[in-house]
Amino acid sequence: MSFKIAIDGPSSSGKSTLAKMIAKNLGFVYIDTGAMYRAMGYYFLKNNLDLNDIEIVNNNVNNVDVELNYVDGVLQVLLNGEDISGVIRKEEVGSAGSIISTYKLVRERLVSLQQKMASVCDVVMDGRDIGTVVLPDANVKIYLNADCHERAVRRHKELLEKGIDKSLEEVETDLKERDYRDMNRENSPLRKANDAIEIDSTNMEIEEVVEMVLSIVKEKRGDK
Ligand code: DC
């Protein structure tokens, strides 16, 4: 049986950094489910299809094939065979991912791909519904949270490093909008699974969070 670690939490709480570091340390495969929703959203943007029209979305879901590959340890995201790893990190693609993720058919398609990936190897998977829907039987479930202002400060810094000059206020407003949509949608809203361990990283360095999660995993596995 493969060992599964589920990490959920709001945008910019540090989930992907944590998941990557944990996967590297344990030699597990990291599955970035947000990248899959971003890829799905990008398909609609690229083809000028209205993301807000449920009929258009439902008629197109099955034309979208999303694949995650690792090339020399680096995640590659393929949309119908095309490498879109760079473009999906743009802010507008993140928002498209958030909108597209509200649809039932979209979620069903991506969840089944995610479950298939997790069935064959030890994984660390991050997202919004991993502990609640995708891997309800995960061996370890973490809900990583942080204060909204602190998450906006972190995101703002990341954007500046990428040369994107957006005000902190604008970043915080966008983040609040994304949180609201992710937490209040009808289908698989973001929430902490009953058996998840919540970590508030507001005043923690990422290394401390990694240490904490590694010790939880080691205890679960019965490592010496
Ligand atoms: O984690 P991220 O910002 O890359 O995710 C992009 C959007 O995808 C996010 O706003 C919500 C959605 N998402 C989801 O609904 N379920 C997941 N398991 C992962 C992401």
Side-chain angles (χ1 to χ4, degrees), residues 11-216:
S11 292
S12 297
S13 57
K15 297 184 301 295
S16 65
T17 309
L18 171 68
K20 274 183 220 155
M21 289 170 83
I22 296 287
K24 190 165 179 212
N25 187 293
L26 297 170
F28 285 20
V29 172
Y30 164 51
I31 300 176
D32 177 355
T33 65
M36 300 171 80
Y37 288 95
R38 284 169 183 257
M40 184 64 92
Y42 180 64
Y43 174 88
F44 288 81
L45 290 183
K46 187 182 157 201
N47 292 292
N48 284 319
L49 294 166
D50 187 359
L51 286 163
N52 293 299
D53 185 328
I54 186 166
E55 215 169 302
I56 292 182
V57 172
N58 287 348
N59 286 335
N60 278 277
V61 175
N62 289 325
N63 299 332
V64 187
D65 189 35
V66 179
E67 208 183 310
L68 300 186
N69 278 337
Y70 287 86
V71 181
D72 297 329
V74 177
L75 176 68
Q76 191 184 52
V77 184
L78 300 179
L79 171 65
N80 294 338
E82 181 196 347
D83 184 356
I84 55 157
S85 315
V87 74
I88 58 160
R89 297 300 158 198
K90 289 191 169 176
E91 290 293 276
E92 62 266 31
V93 183
S95 296
S98 176
I99 296 170
I100 209 77
S101 71
T102 58
Y103 297 104
K104 190 164 177 274
L105 284 190
V106 169
R107 302 205 71 84
E108 281 173 1
R109 182 162 168 80
L110 295 184
V111 167
S112 101
L113 282 174
Q114 291 154 11
Q115 288 173 331
K116 220 174 277 169
M117 287 191 243
S119 65
V120 290
C121 54
D122 294 334
V123 296
V124 183
M125 194 180 272
D126 77 338
R128 307 292 190 289
D129 59 341
I130 311 305
T132 51
V133 176
V134 183
L135 304 175
D137 60 343
N139 304 78
V140 170
K141 295 183 188 179
I142 303 295
Y143 188 85
L144 186 63
N145 214 342
D147 170 80
C148 186
H149 181 69
E150 172 60 24
R151 287 187 283 124
V153 168
R154 292 178 192 169
R155 183 78 193 130
H156 182 243
K157 187 165 167 260
E158 261 173 39
L159 289 175
L160 281 181
E161 281 163 7
K162 285 192 203 165
I164 300 166
D165 191 11
K166 201 168 158 186
S167 74
L168 177 59
E169 289 69 31
E170 213 181 327
V171 172
E172 192 163 344
T173 303
D174 286 355
L175 211 51
K176 280 186 182 150
E177 191 185 315
R178 184 96 70 94
D179 282 356
Y180 184 84
R181 200 183 301 119
D182 293 347
M183 291 174 183
N184 293 285
R185 65 181 176 221
E186 192 183 334
N187 300 305
S188 314
L190 167 66
R191 63 175 179 80
K192 177 184 165 292
N194 292 335
D195 51 349
I197 297 168
E198 180 159 0
I199 300 177
D200 183 340
S201 72
T202 307
N203 297 307
M204 289 172 84
E205 296 295 332
I206 185 69
E207 289 76 14
E208 290 175 76
V209 183
V210 170
E211 277 312 307
M212 195 184 260
V213 174
L214 282 176
S215 70
I216 294 168

